[in-house]
């Protein structure tokens, strides 16, 4: 497949797991590694099509600011392959806990089957919860399919709320719609909230702000994702496990690449 066509194919893969999209993008960008202008254009195109993927922005920013783009692409792929966030989350979850998740969070869904002692309350946002319940049941995990209307009641009865972020900035994060309600109920009920954010999800403010303006629509109640204040989170779970929010933010490693946002390329 021609590199441009491969990029277009990847850009359209909105339903695919994000780490897979990022890995495929990295391989496609390799064809432009010795063409600086083509590399910038390709990265802008991908970010324009997939602005909700923090890991994709992280990859493109790393490649555009690197002195050795091919080497940086290989390094980013190694970092993604070495991401231990799912394993760290599975090890850190409290014993015999009742845990709330929303929809089908990719990293949490990889962690939960490793823990047979949990009760998982899966809120069926975006009509994805039922599929995760079946997967967890197949792995002998006690899972309950919770309708969206039961989100508040489920959170109030749980021991822990797990949210998963596509992007984390210094003050807020992007997560599936319903996350803000879940975190707010948890705060009033005294239930801790852990935010799962694997490799590449933490972005500096200067990389987040131009994305935010593209992501949040004029009618945000209709959006699949929403922006949530980080002050509603107790811990951020990354490759080393749950950390205090301020400590976790110190592992932000995405460079600032303003050239990514100089006009949309569709």
């Amino acid at each position: 497949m021609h590199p441009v066509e491969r990029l277009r194919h990847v850009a359209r893969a909105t339903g695919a797991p994000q780490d897979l999209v990022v890995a495929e993008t990295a391989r496609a960008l390799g064809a432009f590694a010795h063409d600086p202008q083509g590399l910038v254009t390709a990265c802008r195109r991908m970010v324009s099509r997939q602005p909700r993927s923090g890991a994709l922005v992280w990859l493109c920013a790393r490649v555009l600011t690197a002195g050795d783009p091919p080497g940086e692409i290989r390094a980013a792929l190694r970092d993604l392959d070495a991401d231990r966030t799912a394993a760290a989350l599975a090890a850190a979850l409290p014993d015999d806990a009742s845990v709330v998740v929303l929809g089908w969070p990719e990293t949490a869904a990889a962690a939960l089957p490793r823990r047979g002692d949990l009760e998982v309350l899966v809120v069926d946002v975006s009509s994805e919860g039922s599929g995760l319940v079946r997967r967890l049941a197949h792995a002998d995990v006690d899972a309950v399919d919770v309708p969206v209307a039961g989100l508040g009641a489920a959170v109030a009865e749980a021991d822990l709320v797990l949210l998963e972020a596509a992007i984390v900035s210094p003050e807020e994060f992007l997560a599936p719609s319903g996350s803000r309600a879940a975190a707010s109920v948890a705060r009033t009920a005294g239930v801790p909230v852990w935010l799962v954010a694997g490799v590449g999800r933490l972005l500096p403010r200067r990389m987040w702000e131009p994305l935010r303006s593209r992501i949040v629509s004029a009618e945000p109640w209709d959006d699949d994702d929403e922006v949530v204040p980080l002050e509603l989170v107790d811990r951020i779970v990354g490759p080393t496990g749950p950390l205090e929010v301020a400590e976790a933010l110190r592992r932000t490693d995405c460079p600032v690449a303003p050239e990514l946002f100089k006009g949309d390329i569709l």
Side-chain angles (χ1 to χ4, degrees):
M1 184 183 296
H2 189 275
V4 173
E5 289 301 318
R6 185 175 184 180
L7 276 172
R8 288 174 179 166
H9 175 74
V10 176
R12 288 192 293 267
T14 55
Q18 281 305 296
D19 280 353
L20 177 60
V21 171
V22 175
E24 285 298 308
T25 299
R27 297 183 181 100
L29 290 178
F32 301 91
H34 300 290
D35 174 10
Q37 187 55 49
L39 186 61
V40 171
T41 300
C43 287
R44 286 182 185 171
R45 176 176 290 115
M46 291 306 301
V47 170
S48 178
R49 294 289 184 90
Q50 301 267 4
R52 293 170 175 81
S53 174
L56 183 64
V57 174
W58 165 84
L59 165 70
C60 290
R62 285 183 58 167
V63 172
L64 291 183
T65 58
D68 175 20
E72 194 65 24
I73 290 171
R74 292 191 295 271
L77 285 172
R78 287 195 298 270
D79 289 344
L80 287 172
D81 288 341
D83 187 2
R84 295 192 68 259
T85 300
L89 173 60
L93 288 168
D95 296 339
D96 301 312
S98 176
V99 180
V100 169
V101 298
L102 274 60
W104 192 314
E106 294 174 17
T107 304
L112 293 170
R114 310 182 192 197
R115 292 291 302 271
D117 61 325
L118 303 176
E119 177 190 44
V120 184
L121 306 177
V122 184
V123 182
D124 192 25
V125 300
S126 302
S127 301
E128 294 180 331
S130 298
L132 179 56
V133 168
R134 289 192 294 270
R135 175 180 172 179
L136 293 174
H138 184 72
D140 295 324
V141 176
D142 184 10
V144 179
D145 193 349
V146 178
V148 174
L151 183 153
V155 170
E157 292 296 319
D159 299 308
L160 177 68
V161 172
L162 282 183
L163 302 178
E164 188 151 327
I167 301 173
V168 181
S169 80
E171 290 89 21
E172 53 193 7
F173 63 94
L174 183 72
S177 290
S179 296
R180 184 167 189 156
S184 298
V185 173
R187 178 56 56 91
T188 62
V191 177
V193 176
W194 289 6
L195 181 64
V196 182
V199 168
R201 271 65 173 183
L202 276 61
L203 301 184
R205 183 180 294 105
R206 288 179 61 192
M207 295 297 284
W208 163 240
E209 288 177 350
L211 291 172
R212 193 187 199 285
S213 64
R214 300 180 184 193
I215 292 168
V216 179
S217 71
E219 298 180 340
W221 46 86
D222 287 331
D223 294 344
D224 291 333
D225 302 292
E226 64 183 357
V227 175
V228 184
L230 204 52
E231 63 188 20
L232 295 175
V233 170
D234 297 286
R235 299 283 189 277
I236 296 179
V237 184
T240 61
L243 298 174
E244 295 282 351
V245 172
E247 184 179 359
L249 290 175
R250 284 197 284 270
R251 69 177 177 87
T252 303
D253 62 350
C254 177
V256 174
E259 60 267 37
L260 271 177
F261 307 109
K262 293 180 179 177
D264 288 330
I265 298 179
L266 304 176

